[in-house]
Amino acid sequence: AIVIQNALNANGYDAVLVHQNCLDESNSTYYKDVNAWERYDGIVVAGRLFESWPTIDLVRSGRPIILTEMGYVDELALGVQPLEIKRSQEFKLMDRTHPIVEGSELGSFLLSAPLEYCSVDTGKHHVDVLVRDRDDNPVLVAHKTRELVYFGWFGIADATEDSILFKWLVNAANWAF
């Protein structure tokens, strides 16, 4: 989460890391309903939410979301379910016209080192699959009609500073937020 925050802040965002365990859980209006999420221009979900923070309120808030937590792909209409957690450096760019990956080269590419990621099953969800792993499973997904992105490389902290993933992360924020 800190790596994502730093990448966004280095590109002009005012990203704030909100630690769930430091929030006042006795205050039932704090971050737990639709209105509480609306204070943010965009939200990056980089970990599991407390059970008392229902994702339905996050969805109903209409906030743009970048999701790196594979457990919520169904709730956010980005996929059916997580598939596999793997480690690889080889992926395939499927669409070079979407603003998140615009201008990147189509086809297979290698990251400088293997990273952990989770692919997802998108089923018949209304999404654009931008990047797949070598087994043809989606790793980077954008919703077709809402500002929602699944960014499956939760191991981005191990990426080199010049990794294309950081460019795509910032592009995802520019597109969604």
Side-chain angles (χ1 to χ4, degrees):
I2 292 171
V3 171
I4 294 169
Q5 175 190 17
N6 291 344
L8 294 178
N9 285 342
N11 285 277
Y13 286 91
D14 186 18
V16 178
L17 189 60
V18 179
H19 294 279
Q20 295 180 40
N21 26 346
C22 70
L23 299 176
D24 180 4
E25 286 297 304
S26 63
N27 180 349
S28 64
T29 65
Y30 196 64
Y31 292 97
K32 294 182 188 159
D33 63 14
V34 173
N35 297 329
W37 291 109
E38 290 175 348
R39 72 180 78 190
Y40 298 105
D41 293 329
I43 299 162
V44 177
V45 179
R48 300 292 294 173
L49 298 174
F50 280 142
E51 289 181 23
S52 58
W53 295 10
T55 53
I56 189 66
D57 288 333
L58 177 59
V59 172
R60 288 185 1 220
S61 74
R63 300 291 84 197
I65 300 167
I66 297 174
L67 178 66
T68 66
E69 169 54 58
M70 61 272 195
Y72 301 118
V73 292
D74 188 38
E75 289 94 330
L76 296 178
L78 290 165
V80 178
Q81 64 186 2
L83 289 175
E84 286 187 273
I85 294 175
K86 292 183 181 179
R87 186 173 188 83
S88 181
Q89 71 185 103
E90 184 180 347
F91 298 91
K92 295 179 280 189
L93 181 68
M94 308 305 294
D95 176 355
R96 65 176 295 187
T97 62
H98 193 283
I100 294 174
V101 294
E102 191 172 42
S104 300
E105 293 296 320
L106 276 178
S108 294
F109 66 93
L110 292 174
L111 300 174
S112 59
L115 295 181
E116 285 189 302
Y117 70 95
C118 185
S119 58
V120 295
D121 175 2
T122 56
K124 296 182 189 259
H125 282 66
H126 197 57
V127 297
D128 290 319
V129 175
L130 307 177
V131 175
R132 293 180 181 272
D133 67 11
R134 64 181 171 205
D135 295 326
D136 215 30
N137 297 316
V139 180
L140 179 57
V141 176
H143 198 276
K144 289 182 184 267
T145 59
R146 298 194 54 213
E147 293 86 7
L148 302 170
V149 177
Y150 175 70
F151 188 89
W153 293 277
F154 62 87
I156 193 170
D158 295 329
T160 58
E161 284 184 29
D162 61 344
S163 174
I164 189 69
L165 299 183
F166 287 110
K167 177 182 178 186
W168 290 346
L169 176 65
V170 172
N171 287 352
N174 292 341
W175 176 76
F177 303 164

